[in-house]
Amino acid sequence: MIQDTFVPASVEKKTMRLAEEKKELEKARADRKTLIKQRREQWKANAKKYHEELIKEEQHLIEAKREARNTGNFYMAPEAKVAFVIRIKGVNHIRPQVKKILRLLRLRQLNNGVFVKVNKATMNMIKRIEPYVAYGYPNRKTISDLIYKRGFAKINHARIPLSDNMIIENSLKQYNITCIEDLIEEIYRVGPHFKEANSFLWTFKMNNPKGGWSNKNHSFQNGGDWGNREEEINKLIRRMN
């Protein structure tokens, strides 16, 4: 007669616990999949809305410039709201004040880049570190390319790739930012929750530009690299992205 194999009570409890955890995990995955399907239509609608608004703005800008030219006037475009700052020099011979500002802007390493809200305070800070950075005013396409290609989230001090809109929604839904297009729009428009959205993004780690730098010891206006490039920053970002 074959006796039943003895199974300790602790092993039975562990087996039951693992089975329950498996069921909970499968349920959580199913619920998440269902939620993503429900939210996908809203994400698509948001992206479409932002695209249509951008087309209208570009058309309005073209018409305004054309009207000004036909009447013999000049059209002054609205001032930029956001800047992108890239650190182009290392740590050698940096004054303590400059080093502190670079840390405040999260530019701790060479080729680090961050978005900065354009106002008097931030521009005064950038002026003090100008010989160590290249900066300018990116357009929406550049911001979109940056976030899609090099965007990482900062969650619990960990660098998490933006591979899923749910990562954004779980962290920023209280600010009405639920997908990557919402995040791009908040940065580009410098919305009311720009600070939270920008803090959510990990510092961008850029490559050296294709073709190399011209001369880091001279300003951009004098044929070098550092300083304000205004709209020309878009070309530099494309070379470094």
Side-chain angles (χ1 to χ4, degrees), residues 16-33:
M16 292 174 61
R17 187 178 73 251
L18 292 175
E20 290 176 359
E21 290 176 355
K22 183 179 179 181
K23 288 181 181 178
E24 291 175 359
L25 181 60
E26 289 175 350
K27 185 178 181 300
R29 286 176 176 172
D31 293 343
R32 188 173 186 273
K33 191 174 181 180

Side-chain angles (χ1 to χ4, degrees), residues 188 227 239:
Y188 174 64
R239 288 168 55 207

Side-chain angles (χ1 to χ4, degrees), residues 108-164:
R108 294 178 175 271
Q109 297 176 339
L110 197 65
N111 292 345
N112 276 179
V114 293
F115 292 112
V116 175
K117 182 178 180 180
V118 175
N119 56 36
K120 185 176 180 181
T122 56
M123 294 311 294
N124 283 339
M125 292 172 64
I126 291 174
K127 287 291 183 183
R128 292 180 180 273
I129 62 171
E130 204 169 29
Y132 303 91
V133 298
Y135 67 99
Y137 313 118
N139 56 35
R140 195 185 190 283
K141 183 181 184 304
T142 299
I143 294 172
S144 177
D145 291 344
L146 267 173
I147 294 177
Y148 269 107
K149 187 172 181 179
R150 295 196 174 273
F152 284 81
K154 185 179 182 182
I155 301 174
N156 296 327
H157 304 287
R159 187 170 179 257
I160 309 297
L162 294 176
S163 57
D164 191 342

Side-chain angles (χ1 to χ4, degrees), residues 41 46 54 64-65 72 96 102 123 145 175 185-186 206:
E41 293 303 320
N46 288 355
L54 186 64
K65 288 181 178 179
L102 289 170
M123 294 311 294
D145 291 344
Y175 308 118
E185 189 72 5
E186 189 72 17
M206 311 295 288

